[in-house]
């Protein structure tokens, strides 16, 4: 960052909001949680009970809320140790603590300029625009209650920030070390992320990035290249790698990004690959889609094939990620104060935009969205 930037100054912002997806914390929560997630889609309750079996396998508890509590602690610890006096709150889109309740508390506490950290590192409708729509809904609810309506700004995408890339690189190296020594050197790398409809991928990011997977695919590929290169530098082995997808949902006739991780493991086995590391670069924490789709389903597929696999950890509450968030807060605050700022980013794509432009990750149907130009 520029020398003009005072390292502990977040002004004009007076609070940070950690905004996440949310998850059930017991068996009785599962179906109500899924009703929140799917509201407006007309999905029968019996179907939701079937979908909820993934959660029931884990006692009806998603790990995401516990992991967000850990991230909150890490952020508060990092801010305190580095002299950044900025309170951190937490709100979810689909489960308690609900976003509207958290914003209500923040305004009661006197906060009027709020920065938002979303637990999604990449551009897409579901990973960015939908969070902004939820923010707009909550702000409208505050206005309807006659409460002060704060200004909210969203931190830029951090998929290529060193504080995100470096911990994931170390996680891949640790996963490689878990593989049997006789297959380790030949192990392939499978970088995984959430599959989304190809139509949504093609329109992700700013208009100039639309087409052929849009910013969503381009950003993931850039992150995968960075990690693969760093692993090559650390091990001296140039490993084959591929970006693959997981957690598909929705109607089978709608095209989604492929290949699926399980299909890819079958392809690797058929091609004679000795082993694979699954690296969930599309996820900030080891939540249910990582624990079930990779640790349960994909791992079972690998065992069926006789293919040794290891799964790399996500960034989670790594102190380096917490430090990256602090840097992003200070960067955005300095920009708002009109200072020149060195924007930290690795790879070929550079630092992402601060304000989502018109046409960025367009909505499925027109809805208001906060923290952007549209």
């Amino acid at each position: 960052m520029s020398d003009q930037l005072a390292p502990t100054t977040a002004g004009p912002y007076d609070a940070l909001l950690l905004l996440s997806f949310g998850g059930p914390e017991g068996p009785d929560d599962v179906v109500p949680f899924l009703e929140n997630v799917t509201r407006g889609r007309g999905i029968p309750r019996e179907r939701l009970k079937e979908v909820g079996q993934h959660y029931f396998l884990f006692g009806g508890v998603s790990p995401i809320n516990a992991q967000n509590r850990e991230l909150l602690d890490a952020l508060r610890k990092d801010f305190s140790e580095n002299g950044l006096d900025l309170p951190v709150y937490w709100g979810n889109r689909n489960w308690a603590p609900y976003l509207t309740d958290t914003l209500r508390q923040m305004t009661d506490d006197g906060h009027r300029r709020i920065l938002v950290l979303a637990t999604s590192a990449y551009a897409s409708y579901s990973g960015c625009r939908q969070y902004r729509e939820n923010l707009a809904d909550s702000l409208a609810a505050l206005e309807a209650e006659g409460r002060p309506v704060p200004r909210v700004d969203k931190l830029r995408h951090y998929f290529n920030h060193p504080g995100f890339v470096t911990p994931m690189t170390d996680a891949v190296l640790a996963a490689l070390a878990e593989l049997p020594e006789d297959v380790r050197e030949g192990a392939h790398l499978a970088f995984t992320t959430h599959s989304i409809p190809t139509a949504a991928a093609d329109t992700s990011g700013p208009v100039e990035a639309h087409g052929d997977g849009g910013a969503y695919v381009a950003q993931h590929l850039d992150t995968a290249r960075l990690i693969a290169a760093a692993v090559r530098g650390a091990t001296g082995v140039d490993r084959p790698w591929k970006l693959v997808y997981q957690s598909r949902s929705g109607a089978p006739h709608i095209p989604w990004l492929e290949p699926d991780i399980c299909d890819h493991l079958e392809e690797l086995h058929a091609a004679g690959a000795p082993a694979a590391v699954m690296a969930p670069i599309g996820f900030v924490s080891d939540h249910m889609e990582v624990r079930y789709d990779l640790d349960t389903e994909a791992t079972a597929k690998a065992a069926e094939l006789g293919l040794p696999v290891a799964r790399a950890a996500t960034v989670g509450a790594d102190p380096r990620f917490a430090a990256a968030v602090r840097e992003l807060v200070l960067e955005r605050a300095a920009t708002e104060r009109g200072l020149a700022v060195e924007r930290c980013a690795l790879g070929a794509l550079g630092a992402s935009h601060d304000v989502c432009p018109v046409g960025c990750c367009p909505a499925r149907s027109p809805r208001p969205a906060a923290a952007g130009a549209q």
Side-chain angles (χ1 to χ4, degrees):
M1 290 192 179
S2 166
D3 290 340
Q4 299 178 63
L5 175 56
T8 59
T9 301
Y13 298 105
D14 53 25
L16 176 70
L17 168 63
L18 174 65
L19 177 56
S20 194
F21 193 81
E25 299 200 76
D28 293 341
D29 296 344
V30 172
V31 172
F33 162 73
L34 292 173
E35 287 175 334
N36 287 342
V37 173
T38 61
R39 182 168 287 115
R41 301 184 202 173
I43 299 177
R45 188 176 179 85
E46 289 306 311
R47 174 58 182 151
L48 294 179
K49 289 180 181 178
E50 294 175 19
V51 173
Q53 291 306 312
H54 294 181
Y55 292 94
F56 292 129
L57 287 174
F58 295 85
V61 179
S62 168
I64 192 170
N65 279 357
Q67 291 164 2
N68 278 325
R69 292 184 186 101
E70 292 176 6
L71 179 55
L72 273 178
D73 290 343
L75 292 171
R76 288 165 177 161
K77 182 175 186 289
D78 178 88
F79 288 7
S80 175
E81 290 178 350
N82 289 278
L84 178 57
D85 183 16
L86 190 71
V88 186
Y89 294 75
W90 167 38
N92 288 326
R93 290 170 46 190
N94 298 299
W95 202 249
Y98 288 104
L99 172 58
T100 303
D101 293 336
T102 300
L103 283 172
R104 191 179 290 118
Q105 181 63 57
M106 295 177 82
T107 58
D108 286 349
D109 291 345
H111 300 300
R112 299 293 182 267
R113 289 291 302 273
I114 297 170
L115 265 176
V116 177
L117 167 67
T119 53
S120 175
Y122 302 86
S124 71
Y125 172 78
S126 57
C128 183
R129 170 83 191 199
Q130 195 168 17
Y131 281 91
R132 294 175 46 227
E133 290 175 354
N134 295 143
L135 282 166
D137 291 343
S138 293
L139 294 174
L142 296 186
E143 184 176 25
E145 295 170 3
R147 292 174 176 271
V149 179
R151 171 175 164 177
V152 296
D153 291 325
K154 182 177 175 290
L155 289 172
R156 65 177 171 92
H157 301 302
Y158 45 84
F159 64 93
N160 56 3
H161 194 287
F164 185 76
V165 173
T166 303
M168 295 218 65
T169 299
D170 289 348
V172 171
L173 293 170
L176 282 167
E178 295 174 9
L179 291 171
E181 189 173 355
D182 61 333
V183 298
R184 188 179 304 151
E185 186 166 327
H188 289 228
L189 306 180
F191 296 105
T192 77
T193 189
H194 205 301
S195 184
I196 61 175
T198 55
D202 290 346
T203 56
S204 59
V207 172
E208 60 269 21
H210 290 182
D212 196 23
Y216 186 75
V217 171
Q219 290 171 359
H220 280 87
L221 285 172
D222 206 37
T223 301
R225 289 189 195 99
L226 287 166
I227 297 172
V231 170
R232 180 174 63 246
T235 64
V237 179
D238 190 8
R239 302 174 188 280
W241 64 268
K242 189 167 186 175
L243 177 64
V244 300
Y245 302 92
Q246 61 175 91
S247 312
R248 174 184 170 139
S249 60
H253 68 279
I254 297 175
W256 284 54
L257 293 173
E258 297 178 334
D260 177 79
I261 177 62
C262 289
D263 294 338
H264 181 60
L265 292 177
E266 290 184 340
E267 292 169 1
L268 290 181
H269 176 66
V277 166
M278 301 181 291
I281 61 171
F283 305 91
V284 172
S285 67
D286 287 9
H287 54 61
M288 186 58 70
E289 287 170 318
V290 176
R291 295 277 179 90
Y292 181 80
D293 296 338
L294 295 185
D295 294 352
T296 304
E297 192 173 49
T299 299
K301 171 59 70 174
E304 173 190 318
L305 296 168
L307 179 70
V309 295
R311 198 266 290 173
T314 50
V315 170
D318 190 291
R320 292 168 292 183
F321 181 52
V325 173
R326 170 171 43 86
E327 291 178 9
L328 290 169
V329 166
L330 295 174
E331 171 198 293
R332 182 61 182 274
T335 301
E336 290 294 309
R337 298 197 304 272
L339 300 179
V341 181
E342 181 181 345
R343 297 160 61 81
C344 190
L346 303 173
L349 298 180
S352 188
H353 48 258
D354 281 333
V355 178
C356 294
V358 174
C360 190
C361 304
R364 298 164 185 169
S365 57
R367 283 186 60 190
Q374 182 185 39

